[in-house]
């Protein structure tokens, strides 16, 4: 039976771990990030992969940094045949990459060489891509640059956000991994080098990128909102107060000559904003600072009563 060390952290990784176990692979250890404070009350919370591993009664290792930890030696001492990673969130030292008989492979949520880095799903939606996918790749010391073992694409729908695509890609990643492993372990695969001329990157989203630029078109802003939902969530400023925007919708067949960011229409159930290239955006779900998510109707009946046509979002 093939001995596998699995390394992953968020919910995306859980079905992939569970798939390995259900398929009969011997998962001899699970490496994940340490527990972190979560929420306003900063409750120390285990990552989803840890909880899944404990439910499966698998040994768990949680190094703050794997390359400078006692856990590194412990994992190498397990003598795994293969390391499988999926959104682990740390670079692996070369000693670890070379330790297993079959090396280390990664389940990456993009069609490499496009979107190397930590936020490929976010960028695929933000940039308005029509498809994304999963790549099974060999791991080397350079980030997401290893040879490709398998790849499969999936469409991005106009209603998709980061949450829905993570769910879809997680299941696709599990299926593709389980389909790829038998040939990998039988040495039947010919890895394909990545085309370096096609490389693009998807670094973690910065706070500056969360802020909406109203000079973008309504369609581009819709992509930004969906590409940051449910985290980190795009926002705009109104009179020095932050509005997180959870759901928006381009208004078709309507244009405006007002400056981008200007509120151009308001009634009891609608709030519309001018955007770039004379396009118009409807705000559907708003979260004012210190409040929960509100439908535009509830918002305008409450805290948003004072909002007026002609006011400007920044």
């Amino acid at each position: 039976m093939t001995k596998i060390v699995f390394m992953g952290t968020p919910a995306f990784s859980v079905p992939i771990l569970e798939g390995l176990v259900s398929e009969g692979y011997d998962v001899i250890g699970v490496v994940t990030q340490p527990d972190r404070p979560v929420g306003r009350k900063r409750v120390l919370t285990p990552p989803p992969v840890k909880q899944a591993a404990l439910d499966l009664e698998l040994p768990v290792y949680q190094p703050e940094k794997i390359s400078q930890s006692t856990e590194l030696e412990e994992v190498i001492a397990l003598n795994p045949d293969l390391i499988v990673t999926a959104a682990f969130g740390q670079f692996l030292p070369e000693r670890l990459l070379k330790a297993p008989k079959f090396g280390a492979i990664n389940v990456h949520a993009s069609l490499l060489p496009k979107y190397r880095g930590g936020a490929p799903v976010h960028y695929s939606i933000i940039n308005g891509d029509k498809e994304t996918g999963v790549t099974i790749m060999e791991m080397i010391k350079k980030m997401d640059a290893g040879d490709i073992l398998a790849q499969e694409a999936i469409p991005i729908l106009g209603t998709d956000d980061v949450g829905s695509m993570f769910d879809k890609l997680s299941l696709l990643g599990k299926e593709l991994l389980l389909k790829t492993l038998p040939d990998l372990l039988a040495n039947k695969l010919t890895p394909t080098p990545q085309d370096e001329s096609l490389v693009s990157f998807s670094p973690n989203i910065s706070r500056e990128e969360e802020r909406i630029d109203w000079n973008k078109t309504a369609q581009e802003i819709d992509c930004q909102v969906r590409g940051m939902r449910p985290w980190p969530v795009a926002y705009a400023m109104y009179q020095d107060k932050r509005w997180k925007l959870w759901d928006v919708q381009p208004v078709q067949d309507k244009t405006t000559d007002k400056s981008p960011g200007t509120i151009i229409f308001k009634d009891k159930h609608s709030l519309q904003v001018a955007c770039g290239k004379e396009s118009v955006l409807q705000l559907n779900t708003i979260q004012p600072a210190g409040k929960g998510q509100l439908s535009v109707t509830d918002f305008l009946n409450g805290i948003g009563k004072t909002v007026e046509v002609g006011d400007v979002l920044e």
Side-chain angles (χ1 to χ4, degrees):
M1 187 180 294
T2 303
K3 296 187 298 179
I4 292 176
V5 166
F6 181 81
M7 307 179 76
T9 300
F12 169 83
S13 316
V14 171
I16 299 167
L17 169 61
E18 293 173 339
L20 289 170
V21 173
S22 65
E23 199 71 10
Y25 290 101
D26 184 13
V27 180
I28 55 175
V30 174
V31 186
T32 189
Q33 299 272 23
D35 297 3
R36 305 289 189 198
V38 172
R40 289 185 180 179
K41 295 185 178 179
R42 311 303 289 162
V43 177
L44 197 63
T45 304
V49 163
K50 178 183 179 179
Q51 190 57 60
L54 294 177
D55 292 343
L56 293 166
E57 300 182 344
L58 301 173
V60 176
Y61 303 85
Q62 291 182 275
E64 188 66 48
K65 190 171 183 181
I66 184 69
S67 61
Q68 299 173 1
S69 66
T70 57
E71 288 89 350
L72 173 61
E73 303 304 328
E74 293 174 23
V75 171
I76 291 174
L78 293 173
N79 194 28
D81 298 309
L82 177 69
I83 290 173
V84 175
T85 74
F88 173 51
Q90 296 184 28
F91 283 103
L92 304 192
E94 200 156 2
R95 282 186 60 222
L96 185 57
L97 294 176
K98 292 182 175 179
K101 175 182 176 182
F102 293 98
I105 62 172
N106 181 39
V107 183
H108 184 75
S110 84
L111 297 173
L112 290 171
K114 194 172 188 179
Y115 299 138
R116 292 179 183 176
V121 180
H122 295 75
Y123 280 90
S124 65
I125 299 174
I126 290 168
N127 290 337
D129 293 355
K130 299 302 181 185
E131 68 173 10
T132 183
V134 170
T135 303
I136 311 294
M137 49 161 282
E138 294 179 335
M139 293 189 72
I140 60 175
K141 202 166 183 181
K142 187 177 178 182
M143 182 180 65
D144 298 331
D147 291 352
I148 294 171
L149 300 171
Q151 196 168 73
E152 191 165 337
I154 189 172
I156 301 174
L157 306 180
T159 54
D160 275 320
D161 61 15
V162 172
S164 67
M165 287 311 303
F166 260 88
D167 290 343
K168 294 177 184 181
L169 292 168
S170 178
L171 295 176
L172 180 64
K174 177 187 77 171
E175 294 164 2
L176 186 59
L177 176 67
L178 296 179
K179 191 162 57 177
T180 302
L181 278 178
D183 285 345
L184 172 68
L185 298 172
N187 291 312
K188 292 181 178 179
L189 290 180
T190 302
T192 303
Q194 294 186 40
D195 185 343
E196 293 293 326
S197 70
L198 300 177
V199 169
S200 63
F201 293 94
S202 58
N204 291 333
I205 303 293
S206 68
R207 178 54 65 92
E208 292 75 22
E209 290 170 307
E210 295 170 24
R211 187 165 181 167
I212 288 171
D213 177 0
W214 295 101
N215 291 301
K216 293 181 177 179
T217 66
Q219 184 62 54
E220 289 170 333
I221 293 172
D222 175 50
C223 289
Q224 178 182 1
V225 169
R226 290 185 293 108
M228 296 190 182
R229 186 178 72 211
W231 74 93
V233 187
Y235 73 92
M237 300 299 294
Y238 173 77
Q239 297 181 356
D240 296 325
K241 295 179 181 178
R242 183 186 300 251
W243 290 1
K244 291 184 176 181
L245 301 183
W246 285 84
D247 184 53
V248 299
Q249 182 179 357
V251 181
Q252 304 298 332
D253 302 322
K254 184 173 183 177
T255 60
T256 180
D257 59 1
K258 299 299 182 183
S259 299
T262 304
I263 294 172
I264 63 166
F265 180 83
K266 174 193 175 184
D267 64 15
K268 291 182 178 180
H269 308 290
S270 181
L271 193 63
Q272 297 178 0
V273 184
C275 303
K277 296 185 179 178
E278 301 185 341
S279 59
V280 178
L281 189 71
Q282 164 72 28
L283 309 187
N284 293 328
T285 306
I286 302 166
Q287 183 179 4
K291 305 291 183 180
Q293 296 179 44
L294 298 172
S295 70
V296 67
T297 301
D298 290 342
F299 173 77
L300 293 173
N301 284 334
I303 197 171
K305 272 185 177 179
T306 59
V307 174
E308 299 289 349
V309 171
D311 290 349
V312 177
L313 293 173
E314 297 177 342

